[in-house]
Amino acid sequence: MKCDVAIIGGGPAGVTAGSLLKRYRPSLDVVILERETFPRDHVGESQLPAISEVLEEMGAWDKIEAANFPIKIGATYKWGRTKDLWDFEFLATEDFINVPRPGKFAGQRRALAFQVDRSIYDKILLDHTKELGCRVFEGTKVSRVLRTDDRIDGLELENGEMVEARHFLDCSGDSGILRRAMGVEVDSPTKLRNIAIWDYWQDAQWAVTIGSGGTRIQIMSLGWGWLWFIPISESRTSVGLVVPAEYYKQTGKTTEQIYADAIAEEPMISSLVKNATRENGLQATRDWSFIADRLVGENWFLAGDTCGFADPILSAGMTLAHAAGRRAAYTILALERGKHDPAWLKEQYNTWQRKQIWHHIRFADYWYSANGIFTDLKEYCSEIAAGAGLKLDANEAFRWLSTGGFTSETPGRARAITYAVGGVKFITQLFSGEPVTWEVAKNNRFKLKKAGTEVVQFAHLENGRIEAVKCLKKGEKLLPLEGLFAIVVSALETETDAEKVLNRCLEIFQRQGAKNVSAGYLMFMEVLEALIYDGWVEASLNDKRPLLPMETPDEMRTMHPNRDNLV
């Protein structure tokens, strides 16, 4: 069997890559080799809003919406140094407009996500790739990888058939077919060693219903682990337990016993499943965060869980998989066009995808180290913090989390791990119990630090094409001059006074067609804060000039104590 692109795995990463390759270059012959026969259950049901944008680009969002999966408004947590519940919402509940479903990918739906039954979700997307023209082979296992040095010559299937391609993409998840065959090592830059145990329940009660099909997932910390509660259809709910592997071994209990104990111990979850029925398909897997040493080779790429995994506390798994599949497709499309240096394209894929995984792992470490409710595991959490070089002081924690994240993980936007700068400050304040300060509120003179920087290029992905965009580099730090960051850097090149810098930013913002200029105030303040923390801007105080007003950001409306009538 000969083709242009051979993809191992038909999960989120594989179908994203296949769909985008066929959408933007229909002439490509794309083959997807999937070991299982769909539908099949798979853990990882809770999404983040970034996935919706990818689904829309794939042309599949309407199909997923038509499946009537619950709309994810956000999450309710019992986590941190209090047993009180608090909410993180993508959109404030009071702003949610109740409209009939199925809806369109517009307005508020662009800010929200889905909670999906993977047996249905994955099949919809795999069938979608077939409609686009991918050749899909289910129940087809790759048994051997033929290679010459760093080049893959072909794949031998279990039935003895050979597959040859110009490009190979490993989306095989935990199996890591190409990763293992090519001898790629993995690193686990964390002390987290958890296992996950889960089952599905029929007719569990939702903790909260918001409008037509909207809800929040529930994340409930115990003294020795945590539970997830994720409605994935009107009648089906995923309920899982994450617990340190060492703790599980010490208990001597079976997975069934510790799972039942966890649910019985947590009043919220136990009340929600009181009248529900378990499907009795208990599953367990290790949940160890890791990252592959490299994600590309001469004619191959890694994408999805095979190239790295971050603890599920942040619901990041599918986001990383879809993002990797998209970036891999764009890179292959660019290689086919021949406009850019192949080495540069591969380096960009490797750098940016590894950076995303690394940031999610780092953020997960902080969530665990800051959880004072893990009373039996205080020493364990302290180990995580020490291993990460983390102080739990709010400002130090924010500095550690923000370095290299806000300025480069999502080019053009001051966001990392779905959170804006204000959101991370809120979380560090919540977890530490200490107020977090804003540098932009204490200073009014801002100087761009250009010494030691060089101008390089980074890959901007849009409409199926990769364009080289200017990027500042200082040591290992990168600052893409795109979006809001480009505007702020432009203003700082001519102004240093805070008021003048901000006015200059708003002028450029309005000239570029921004409709809500007033909202730009906070966004630019957050960008400036990120630049200060990441070392791109020097902040100082001029007593003769006024300070800019800096109130608590809008995150307080989307991150707040829980107000539902819950157990």
Side-chain angles (χ1 to χ4, degrees):
M1 185 192 303
K2 293 188 177 182
C3 59
D4 298 313
V5 184
I7 300 172
I8 307 175
V15 294
T16 301
S19 295
L20 295 179
L21 286 168
K22 292 298 289 186
R23 177 191 170 184
Y24 291 118
R25 193 153 185 164
S27 62
L28 284 177
D29 184 6
V30 180
V31 167
I32 298 178
L33 307 168
E34 169 54 49
R35 179 182 60 188
E36 306 291 338
T37 299
F38 286 16
R40 55 89 179 96
D41 276 322
H42 200 289
V43 73
E45 301 99 347
S46 181
Q47 299 191 346
L48 298 176
I51 293 178
S52 292
E53 294 183 14
V54 179
L55 292 174
E56 176 70 2
E57 186 177 12
M58 292 165 60
W61 191 89
D62 287 340
K63 293 178 180 178
I64 299 302
E65 167 67 2
N68 201 36
F69 295 121
I71 301 172
K72 182 179 177 182
I73 308 294
T76 295
Y77 291 91
K78 182 172 70 177
W79 198 279
R81 299 182 177 277
T82 172
K83 291 187 178 181
D84 295 334
L85 303 182
W86 60 278
D87 295 338
F88 162 56
E89 298 174 321
F90 304 131
L91 177 74
T93 302
E94 58 267 29
D95 294 339
F96 182 80
I97 302 170
N98 189 27
V99 295
R101 298 185 70 187
K104 294 295 182 183
F105 185 62
Q108 66 182 13
R109 295 301 301 274
R110 300 185 71 91
L112 302 173
F114 292 106
Q115 295 161 199
V116 300
D117 185 326
R118 289 287 299 276
S119 65
I120 301 171
Y121 178 83
D122 288 2
K123 180 166 176 52
I124 290 173
L125 294 185
L126 190 62
D127 289 345
H128 179 69
T129 65
K130 295 178 187 177
E131 292 176 19
L132 291 174
C134 290
R135 290 195 282 157
V136 177
F137 297 87
E138 298 180 61
T140 302
K141 183 178 180 181
V142 175
S143 60
R144 191 160 68 104
V145 177
L146 284 72
R147 56 175 289 194
T148 301
D149 298 325
D150 197 40
R151 180 177 182 81
I152 295 176
D153 300 315
L155 306 173
E156 183 177 326
L157 306 183
E158 196 171 41
N159 63 7
E161 189 172 0
M162 298 294 297
V163 179
E164 296 179 2
R166 290 203 305 278
H167 310 280
F168 294 87
L169 182 56
D170 184 0
C171 303
S172 62
D174 290 340
S175 300
I177 302 295
L178 297 188
R179 188 190 75 220
R180 297 175 193 276
M182 303 311 287
V184 178
E185 298 292 330
V186 298
D187 179 35
S188 185
T190 172
K191 290 184 177 292
L192 287 176
R193 296 289 186 276
N194 292 334
I195 63 168
I197 306 165
W198 70 95
D199 202 349
Y200 297 95
W201 297 67
Q202 290 290 335
D203 301 319
Q205 180 185 346
W206 288 17
V208 59
T209 300
I210 303 166
S212 298
T215 187
R216 295 187 218 97
I217 67 170
Q218 306 294 308
I219 303 293
M220 298 289 121
S221 173
L222 306 166
W224 43 272
W226 63 271
L227 283 165
W228 77 66
F229 180 93
I230 307 172
I232 57 177
S233 76
E234 290 184 355
S235 60
R236 199 177 193 219
T237 299
S238 172
V239 182
L241 168 68
V242 176
V243 63
E246 190 60 34
Y247 180 85
Y248 167 68
K249 291 178 184 177
Q250 291 172 1
T251 65
K253 297 178 180 179
T254 64
T255 53
E256 177 64 42
Q257 290 171 330
I258 200 168
Y259 180 75
D261 288 350
I263 292 175
E265 184 176 320
E266 213 302 301
M268 163 76 76
I269 306 301
S270 59
S271 70
L272 296 176
V273 301
K274 181 179 179 180
N275 298 315
T277 304
R278 261 183 68 185
E279 293 184 7
N280 291 321
L282 195 69
Q283 300 178 63
T285 185
R286 72 177 196 175
D287 242 343
W288 295 1
S289 298
F290 75 91
I291 184 169
D293 288 348
R294 65 183 178 120
L295 312 182
V296 297
E298 186 175 334
N299 64 339
W300 55 270
F301 298 83
L302 309 182
D305 285 356
T306 189
C307 59
F309 178 82
D311 190 274
I313 187 62
L314 301 172
S315 299
M318 272 205 290
T319 302
L320 289 171
H322 278 291
R326 177 177 185 264
R327 188 172 286 273
Y330 270 74
T331 305
I332 292 171
L333 289 166
L335 288 169
E336 286 288 303
R337 293 189 183 104
K339 177 182 175 182
H340 299 293
D341 176 12
W344 176 76
L345 289 169
K346 293 175 183 178
E347 180 271 329
Q348 287 289 296
Y349 178 82
N350 189 69
T351 297
W352 292 99
Q353 200 56 37
R354 290 187 80 253
K355 188 181 286 287
Q356 275 204 322
I357 299 166
W358 186 83
H359 285 152
H360 279 77
I361 292 173
R362 193 175 218 191
F363 215 112
D365 269 7
Y366 178 67
W367 278 68
Y368 280 88
S369 65
N371 192 344
I373 296 178
F374 276 71
T375 52
D376 293 345
L377 300 171
K378 286 182 179 177
E379 185 177 341
Y380 172 79
C381 290
S382 297
E383 253 186 82
I384 297 171
L390 177 65
K391 297 178 182 179
L392 295 184
D393 164 83
N395 287 295
E396 286 300 317
F398 177 82
R399 183 178 298 278
W400 182 78
L401 289 170
S402 66
T403 302
F406 289 109
T407 54
S408 63
E409 187 186 272
T410 308
R413 302 167 67 187
R415 301 185 69 85
I417 329 297
T418 76
Y419 298 101
V421 173
V424 176
K425 284 186 179 286
F426 175 84
I427 289 169
T428 54
Q429 181 170 305
L430 178 74
F431 286 171
S432 68
E434 301 173 351
V436 63
T437 60
W438 286 77
E439 293 299 314
V440 291
K442 298 188 297 182
N443 300 283
N444 56 13
R445 187 174 183 275
F446 305 111
K447 182 181 178 182
L448 188 63
K449 297 166 67 175
K450 279 195 166 183
T453 64
E454 60 176 316
V455 177
V456 297
Q457 293 180 324
F458 87 99
H460 172 76
L461 282 57
E462 190 173 9
N463 296 325
R465 293 184 175 274
I466 288 180
E467 298 297 337
V469 176
K470 188 186 296 185
C471 182
L472 295 181
K473 182 177 182 181
K474 183 188 297 183
E476 294 300 314
K477 295 181 180 180
L478 297 170
L479 176 59
L481 297 181
E482 183 180 340
L484 300 178
F485 284 99
I487 294 175
V488 174
V489 169
S490 175
L492 288 169
E493 287 177 336
T494 57
E495 306 288 353
T496 57
D497 178 75
E499 195 171 54
K500 292 180 180 179
V501 169
L502 187 62
N503 286 337
R504 177 67 177 152
C505 287
L506 293 174
E507 286 173 13
I508 299 172
F509 195 45
Q510 189 170 25
R511 196 162 61 241
Q512 291 183 352
K515 296 179 181 178
N516 189 356
V517 178
S518 60
Y521 181 91
L522 174 61
M523 293 191 292
F524 287 119
M525 293 289 271
E526 289 189 309
V527 167
L528 198 51
E529 185 82 355
L531 291 172
I532 293 168
Y533 269 92
D534 208 22
W536 296 101
V537 169
E538 179 183 314
S540 59
L541 177 64
N542 180 351
D543 292 331
K544 297 180 180 180
R545 295 290 296 159
L547 291 169
L548 291 174
M550 184 63 199
E551 298 180 0
T552 302
D554 195 52
E555 270 73 15
M556 277 300 191
R557 297 186 67 241
T558 56
M559 293 183 178
H560 52 74
N562 178 266
R563 297 189 285 260
D564 301 323
N565 183 24
L566 301 176
V567 176

